[in-house]
Amino acid sequence: MTLVSTKESTKTAHPKSLLSIVASVGGLALFLIIASTLLVSQPIGSTIRGFFYGVDSLAKIDPEFSLGSSVSESNHTVHPFEGLLKRNLTVPENRGPEGFTQHGDKESVKSGGADGNGPVIENNEPPISRNEDELSDSGSAESKNLKPNPPLAKVTQKDDGNSSSFSHTASQENAPLSSTNLQTELKNVESTSSATNSSQSNHVDSGCDLYDGKWIYDSTGPLYTNNSCPVLTQSQNCQGNGRPDKDYENWRWKPSHCNLPRFDAKKFLELMRGKTLAFIGDSVARNQMESMLCILWQVEVPKNRGNRRMQRYYFRSTSTMIVRIWSSWLVHQTPEPFDFAPAGVVKLHLDAPDEHFMDYITDFDVIVLSSGHWFAKQSVYILNNEIVGGQLWWPDNSRKKKIDSIEAFGVSVETALTAMGTHPNYTGLTIVRSFSPDHYEGGAWNTGGSCTGKVQPASEGELVENGFTNIMHEKQVTGFNRAIKKKTNKSKIKLMDITRAFSYRHDGHPGPYRSPDPNKKTTRGPDGRPPPQDCLHWCMPGPVDTWNELVFEIISREFDDTQ
């Protein structure tokens, strides 16, 4: 009796369990349908990325995820992808002495210009669009430095990707933002974005003149920071030395008929695979060499293989070597007495190249050659085994000088380039960087000259013509052209003519921010005299980085032609 009741009870229980299961499955299915609908409208992946990274798109983490315009057509929002992956190494500051110094080289020297009052100089130490309208001339954020008008506005791109703000000059700050003004501002954003995007391409039309153009403001920022480059000379570390402004880091050079690509360190190392690039010259050449190292350092830390005669940095991934050799004048020099010139005064043999770099040129694939400022230093000029002139030295006014320091510079350029162009075993590419302008206004380095307070490129009306710079550039080009006519080997010699373009960059020098000393003078004194300052070398990062973008472009053109 009990058994039968149990069986009946079991038979009755099974249908109830089955109904419970069906109800549970149905409820779960309904939940999944509702949850799926919610997830489609609000993707959880975006929410998670936003929580951990503070962004809502992979394109904001990796630029490779965004191949289109950086300006949203719907709301004109600028997305500043560039630089988010840039390394931010924390390194100790170089603690070099204040002023114009060079690591491991001889003592600092202060000497005058051609008239004895020149600048302070130191001792040893896919295809790009060619549409000219891409950077609109009407209201775009440009420094029309090679045009009559100064920049009217700058575009500041915010990292949150949700807004763009505009910083105006004083004449515009209080102007109401009308509909017309708003359209103009939006064009400014698109113009700068176009410049940034187009500059990412790898090649420029080889027929484009790289040296005719203007400076444009690009808020993308520099290729590195003063804290991400451990080889940056302290006297050029403007931010580390307390300079309060940094817009000078954000102006890019825009050729008139094309766009100069932004430097791509990985592609540069690949282009230079198995090759050596040498910078030869004075402290400004060192300035450029360190800029190149700072840029490349962001993708690979090189191995230092240098010695006292030659700085050498080796990039293992592509077996690329970056070299620097000090050569003050590019010609042979001796301290021994010669004729009526006593010992102790440097004798320059203007018709003999400097053997300190000539002994190595066959090992170099690319040489960046630069000089000029040391012709302001005391020296004796010897030509055809005869004393023909001197700078800040001459024993007797009854003796007539045959050449001055400016003529001597032109002869030195011709001598060095002729030696390189006729060397039977040199087949490399020589890039001659033209004379780098200084910006001591109101006097020379030691007579009250100053570049203090310059915070953006000069407009056409602000440009101060420098007669010394102009004549030095002229003599350099003359020496270059004469050497080209004498060339007999298979090497190539190219002029990188930066002088005119950089005459507008009076904002790019350290000025009084030459050291981290918290007590240094940075303003004029009660007598109106400016503080000691450097208006010759260049801040890093800063305009000097453009020189290496130009070097990259010249190398790309030449190597592509060869291939």
Side-chain angles (χ1 to χ4, degrees):
M1 187 71 176
T2 303
L3 181 62
V4 172
S5 299
T6 301
K7 288 181 179 180
E8 290 177 352
S9 175
T10 301
K11 290 180 182 179
T12 304
H14 285 169
K16 291 181 180 180
S17 299
L18 182 61
L19 289 174
S20 299
I21 292 172
V22 170
S24 299
V25 170
L28 179 61
L30 180 61
F31 171 80
L32 291 175
I33 292 173
I34 295 173
S36 298
T37 303
L38 292 174
L39 286 173
V40 169
S41 61
Q42 298 291 334
I44 192 171
S46 175
T47 303
I48 292 175
R49 281 196 300 272
F51 179 82
F52 284 104
Y53 301 115
V55 295
D56 60 2
S57 170
L58 284 175
K60 294 184 181 179
I61 304 172
D62 191 340
E64 293 181 1
F65 282 90
S66 178
L67 302 179
S69 171
S70 63
V71 178
S72 170
E73 294 180 358
S74 60
N75 57 11
H76 297 278
T77 298
V78 180
H79 299 291
F81 302 146
E82 190 66 34
L84 289 177
L85 291 180
K86 196 170 293 183
R87 297 175 61 187
N88 187 17
L89 305 177
T90 302
V91 297
E93 292 180 340
N94 292 336
R95 289 180 171 83
E98 180 176 0
F100 304 86
T101 60
Q102 170 56 35
H103 310 300
D105 292 322
K106 298 178 183 178
E107 74 280 0
S108 297
V109 174
K110 294 184 179 180
S111 35
D115 56 358
N117 295 319
V120 178
I121 53 181
E122 80 174 309
N123 192 10
N124 283 4
E125 104 70 305
I128 204 77
S129 169
R130 296 183 62 200
N131 184 355
E132 295 181 56
D133 294 328
E134 283 183 343
L135 295 169
S136 171
D137 286 337
S138 58
S140 62
E142 300 172 347
S143 173
K144 304 187 179 181
N145 292 330
L146 302 188
K147 304 294 181 183
N149 300 320
L152 295 179
K154 299 182 295 184
V155 180
T156 303
Q157 300 179 353
K158 293 186 178 180
D159 287 342
D160 60 10
N162 294 323
S163 62
S164 298
S165 62
F166 301 89
S167 175
H168 300 268
T169 57
S171 61
Q172 291 181 321
E173 284 181 348
N174 300 318
L177 191 62
S178 64
S179 175
T180 302
N181 289 339
L182 178 59
Q183 292 176 0
T184 300
E185 300 292 12
L186 294 178
K187 288 180 180 179
N188 288 338
V189 181
E190 295 168 348
S191 175
T192 303
S193 174
S194 175
T196 302
N197 289 339
S198 59
S199 67
Q200 307 304 316
S201 298
N202 304 320
H203 301 287
V204 172
D205 186 340
S206 60
C208 172
D209 181 356
L210 296 173
Y211 315 112
D212 174 38
K214 52 196 165 189
W215 292 96
I216 64 169
Y217 189 86
D218 180 4
S219 59
T220 301
L223 295 159
Y224 58 94
T225 70
N226 64 304
N227 288 322
S228 66
C229 181
V231 294
L232 194 162
T233 296
Q234 187 62 49
S235 57
Q236 274 77 74
N237 184 358
C238 299
Q239 290 298 305
N241 293 337
R243 180 167 172 172
D245 64 298
K246 55 186 308 183
D247 270 358
Y248 64 88
E249 297 180 347
N250 299 331
W251 293 91
R252 286 184 51 79
W253 178 246
K254 169 66 174 66
S256 296
H257 301 290
C258 58
N259 291 300
L260 181 65
R262 189 174 175 86
F263 198 105
D264 188 319
K266 290 183 178 179
K267 290 180 180 178
F268 177 83
L269 288 174
E270 189 59 43
L271 182 67
M272 290 294 294
R273 177 176 289 276
K275 295 180 174 62
T276 298
L277 165 63
F279 293 88
I280 299 174
D282 55 19
S283 60
V284 184
R286 183 262 306 154
N287 205 169
Q288 183 177 0
M289 180 261 200
E290 289 183 355
S291 163
M292 175 65 78
L293 286 177
C294 287
I295 296 170
L296 299 179
W297 211 283
Q298 308 311 303
V299 298
E300 180 178 349
V301 176
K303 182 177 179 61
N304 188 344
R305 293 185 175 178
N307 52 47
R308 295 191 63 167
R309 295 194 66 183
M310 183 188 307
Q311 289 180 297
R312 300 163 72 236
Y313 288 86
Y314 179 71
F315 292 83
R316 190 186 302 273
S317 66
T318 58
S319 299
T320 301
M321 189 78 78
I322 305 297
V323 169
R324 173 184 171 244
I325 298 178
W326 176 269
S327 182
S328 314
W329 289 280
L330 303 182
V331 293
H332 178 64
Q333 54 180 293
T334 59
E336 291 81 14
F338 185 93
D339 197 358
F340 58 88
V345 182
V346 175
K347 322 300 183 304
L348 301 182
H349 294 260
L350 297 177
D351 47 5
D354 186 355
E355 67 279 7
H356 289 103
F357 75 84
M358 284 299 299
D359 289 346
Y360 299 99
I361 65 170
T362 56
D363 298 328
F364 303 148
D365 300 279
V366 180
I367 294 175
V368 179
L369 201 70
S370 53
S371 64
H373 291 285
W374 269 65
F375 281 86
K377 185 177 174 6
Q378 184 186 62
S379 54
V380 177
Y381 306 138
I382 300 173
L383 195 59
N384 297 322
N385 213 36
E386 174 190 359
I387 295 179
V388 293
Q391 169 66 9
L392 299 181
W393 177 88
W394 198 247
D396 188 349
N397 289 333
S398 65
R399 295 179 183 269
K400 184 178 180 180
K401 291 183 181 180
K402 295 184 178 180
I403 65 173
D404 60 13
S405 62
I406 297 172
E407 291 289 343
F409 173 51
V411 175
S412 73
V413 172
E414 180 181 354
T415 295
L417 293 180
T418 298
M420 299 173 74
T422 58
H423 193 295
N425 299 319
Y426 177 57
T427 59
L429 166 64
T430 301
I431 300 173
V432 182
R433 196 211 69 223
S434 67
F435 190 77
S436 176
D438 67 77
H439 290 90
Y440 289 97
E441 298 180 10
W445 69 270
N446 58 350
T447 59
S450 173
C451 54
T452 299
K454 307 296 184 182
V455 297
Q456 68 178 24
S459 65
E460 194 69 29
E462 294 177 301
L463 184 64
V464 177
E465 289 290 342
N466 188 317
F468 180 72
T469 293
N470 294 342
I471 192 64
M472 290 292 278
H473 175 260
E474 178 185 329
K475 294 300 179 182
Q476 185 182 33
V477 173
T478 299
F480 173 89
N481 290 333
R482 288 174 176 171
I484 291 295
K485 294 178 180 178
K486 299 177 183 179
K487 194 172 81 70
T488 59
N489 60 19
K490 295 182 179 180
S491 69
K492 293 183 178 181
I493 305 177
K494 301 293 180 180
L495 179 65
M496 192 173 89
D497 198 349
I498 57 88
T499 305
R500 182 66 179 174
F502 276 75
S503 64
Y504 291 87
R505 293 312 308 270
H506 58 186
D507 59 321
H509 302 291
Y513 299 99
R514 302 180 299 160
S515 83
D517 178 9
N519 298 317
K520 62 180 173 291
K521 297 179 179 179
T522 60
T523 59
R524 293 181 180 272
D527 59 355
R529 290 183 61 85
Q533 54 192 287
D534 178 358
C535 302
L536 171 63
H537 299 93
W538 302 91
C539 290
M540 295 173 56
V544 66
D545 302 317
T546 300
W547 292 355
N548 289 317
E549 290 183 324
L550 291 166
V551 165
F552 188 2
E553 180 56 31
I554 293 171
I555 293 174
S556 298
R557 291 183 179 188
E558 295 305 317
F559 285 9
D560 284 349
D561 289 346
T562 301
Q563 294 171 356

